[in-house]
Amino acid sequence: MKQVDVIVIGAGAAGLMCAAQAGYRGKQVLVLDMGKKPGRKILISGGGRCNFTNEGAKPENYLCQNPHFVKSALSRYSAQDFVELVDRHGLAYHHKTLGQLFCDNSAQDIVDILLTECDWAGVTVSLRSEVLQVQKQDGGYLVNTNNGEFYCTSLVVASGGLTMPKLGATPIGYNIAKQFGLNVLPTTAALVPFTLHDHDKERFDGLSGISIATSVTSESGVSFKENILFTHRGLSGPAILQISSFWQAGESVSINLLPESDITNIIKEWRESNPKKSLKNMLATVLPKSFIEAMVSQQDITDKTISQLSNQDITQLSQYLHSWQIKPNGTEGYRTAEVTLGGVDTDELSSKTFEAKKAPGLYFIGEVIDVTGWLGGYNFQFAWSCGMACGLAVDAEK
Ligand code: FDA
């Protein structure tokens, strides 16, 4: 049986970062992952270019039952620290909107950086090694895999959440937490497209591929100003993915289809400049034509000329366009979600080391814990921050 100081379950973003830091501290580190390749979620992230951090990442960008929990790790290893790491490796990257940083070439570059760091730190990464069971033994942990048994004094669980089961998502992390008496908060898919009720699907039939710059607001009052995208299954796009993390089954979302302007003022101008033109044609100058045509054909929007519009018509139109109500049927679930909301209760963990308070030598990092970032590089930044914090602390002499 192989014996090491630290075993990390999961060669994802958090696990590899943690393993490298522990290795640099002279710890013997073994990373176990059931996949054929390390960092499989990194490879598919950001459309293959990995949105590897967000320059503005702050605690407010994370959902967690204890909003203070992420402060320590984020402040000790910030987005700027990760940028400094990728700069040292000569990564070519670019800035997109809203502080998001993406690789110029491929997400593989990020995986290569993490593997190089692990290599320099003397970490062993064992792939196709599925962790089946964990037991407490002689003050350490016995880890049973399809490749045999391993023993360690400290065990780091970085096994991720439940999204993308095709990429090897398993509930092992939650099971280990429960086995050691830790509370696990209910999990749901987040950063995920909405599905629609049949009547809405029919209404939007033919709009697939249409994108609109909007501001979307949840019933709890959280808003995101980004694009929505009609798909053949429902609604997606960054604004929808963002709001999905704040949406509860049965709730509506309110969509401002013209967040940068006021339709009442626009119509005042049109009354001067284009009174004889149809509202439909004029609206098609500020919103996608096919969307307006669909709304007019369903009589959601009146088909009059601009001069025929009454004050009541304008008030109704303003309410409709600035506060368009959609009641999703559900979400596409873990199959397409980017992250899992909920997980190992952060009250069970030290926010400095990520060690379980009830189980010395057992650590939980990354998506398996109840920390979920917004869309835009925030989730990887949390993986780097907690991976670093845990890697610097794991298996400390007590
Ligand atoms: P992660 O899931 O990366 O790694 C866990 C590892 O554990 C996996 O490799 C798995 O094989 C392994 N494992 C699980 N069970 C095991 C077992 N029983 N035995 C052995 N190994 C086991 N975030 C972001 O910030 N920017 C972005 O651009 C994107 N884009 C994106 C796109 C898509 C399609 C998805 C699905 C997700 C994103 N994300 C993202 C989210 C991001 O990928 C996610 O937050 C991190 O990968 C989480 O990192 P972890 O290391 O915690 O888990």
Side-chain angles (χ1 to χ4, degrees):
M1 179 176 56
K2 190 172 161 71
Q3 189 161 339
V4 292
D5 299 322
V6 179
I7 287 179
V8 178
I9 304 177
L16 291 174
M17 181 58 131
C18 172
Q21 303 321 310
Y24 282 133
R25 287 171 48 235
K27 302 290 170 189
Q28 255 194 305
V29 185
L30 171 65
V31 181
L32 299 170
D33 198 294
M34 62 195 281
K36 280 189 260 175
K37 287 182 193 171
R40 283 181 296 172
K41 278 212 184 133
I42 301 174
L43 293 175
I44 57 154
S45 67
R49 295 244 165 109
C50 184
N51 177 193
F52 56 84
T53 192
N54 191 296
E55 289 178 306
K58 289 189 292 296
E60 301 85 271
N61 305 119
Y62 295 87
L63 286 90
C64 176
Q65 286 232 322
N66 173 2
H68 303 293
F69 182 80
V70 297
K71 282 183 181 166
S72 169
L74 277 183
S75 69
R76 284 188 294 147
Y77 192 77
S78 65
Q80 287 64 38
D81 293 316
F82 190 74
V83 168
E84 193 266 325
L85 171 75
V86 299
D87 280 342
R88 253 192 291 128
H89 284 262
L91 177 81
Y93 62 88
H94 57 277
H95 297 240
K96 263 202 184 164
T97 52
L98 306 169
Q100 303 166 24
L101 302 188
F102 284 76
C103 299
D104 281 356
N105 303 315
S106 151
Q108 182 68 51
D109 294 345
I110 294 289
V111 177
D112 289 345
I113 289 173
L114 295 168
L115 291 178
T116 302
E117 290 284 322
C118 282
D119 187 36
W120 289 344
V123 171
T124 305
V125 179
S126 177
L127 299 171
R128 295 188 171 92
S129 300
E130 180 172 8
V131 174
L132 305 170
Q133 220 186 2
V134 166
Q135 271 170 272
K136 182 91 188 159
Q137 192 173 299
D138 303 332
Y141 293 88
L142 186 67
V143 179
N144 192 270
T145 76
N146 60 338
N147 267 340
E149 286 188 331
F150 302 90
Y151 182 81
C152 59
T153 40
S154 299
L155 177 64
V156 179
V157 181
S159 54
L162 295 173
T163 58
M164 300 248 159
K166 268 204 260 166
L167 288 187
T170 76
I172 187 90
Y174 308 124
N175 295 344
I176 296 172
K178 287 179 196 158
Q179 181 188 344
F180 288 92
L182 276 57
N183 186 36
V184 177
L185 297 166
T187 57
T188 43
L191 299 183
V192 61
F194 284 142
T195 55
L196 298 171
H197 291 284
D198 285 345
H199 63 270
D200 277 334
K201 261 199 250 163
E202 275 164 35
R203 285 168 72 204
F204 307 145
D205 189 36
L207 294 182
S208 179
I210 299 279
S211 171
I212 305 180
T214 64
S215 167
V216 181
T217 306
S218 69
E219 281 194 15
S220 57
V222 178
S223 291
F224 288 95
K225 202 162 151 192
E226 288 188 67
N227 281 23
I228 61 166
L229 173 72
F230 291 88
T231 69
H232 57 280
R233 281 194 220 99
L235 277 180
S236 187
I240 295 296
L241 299 185
Q242 297 280 32
I243 216 70
S244 71
S245 301
F246 298 86
W247 178 80
Q248 311 277 335
E251 289 183 355
S252 296
V253 291
S254 173
I255 303 181
N256 185 346
L257 294 160
L258 289 169
E260 302 292 352
S261 38
D262 182 343
I263 192 65
T264 310
N265 292 336
I266 294 179
I267 288 175
K268 263 190 210 151
E269 282 169 28
W270 289 344
R271 274 182 161 159
E272 299 289 317
S273 59
N274 289 292
K276 298 272 174 282
K277 288 242 168 100
S278 72
L279 175 64
K280 181 170 100 174
N281 286 347
M282 291 312 291
L283 283 177
T285 64
V286 291
L287 282 166
K289 190 172 174 209
S290 47
F291 174 77
I292 294 302
E293 277 172 354
M295 297 307 113
V296 170
S297 75
Q298 289 150 32
Q299 295 172 347
D300 280 7
I301 293 179
T302 177
D303 192 14
K304 293 182 179 171
T305 64
I306 299 292
S307 59
Q308 284 170 336
L309 291 172
S310 66
N311 285 344
Q312 198 193 349
D313 289 333
I314 295 171
T315 307
Q316 271 173 5
L317 183 69
S318 171
Q319 241 165 30
Y320 186 80
L321 294 179
H322 290 299
S323 179
W324 190 48
Q325 299 295 308
I326 291 289
K327 196 176 211 172
N329 184 22
T331 73
E332 288 187 10
Y334 292 120
R335 192 178 56 81
T336 59
E338 291 206 1
V339 284
T340 305
L341 208 60
V344 178
D345 190 340
T346 55
D347 283 350
E348 303 279 12
L349 307 174
S350 153
S351 62
K352 294 210 163 50
T353 64
F354 293 81
E355 188 172 18
K357 293 173 190 166
K358 289 178 189 152
L362 180 63
Y363 299 75
F364 290 85
I365 54 170
E367 202 180 314
V368 71
I369 67 178
D370 170 39
V371 173
T372 306
W374 291 3
L375 184 80
Y378 299 101
N379 283 297
F380 280 135
Q381 183 54 45
F382 179 66
W384 316 135
S385 299
C386 64
M388 174 62 81
C390 181
L392 291 176
V394 63
D395 207 46
E397 314 306 329
K398 301 230 165 82

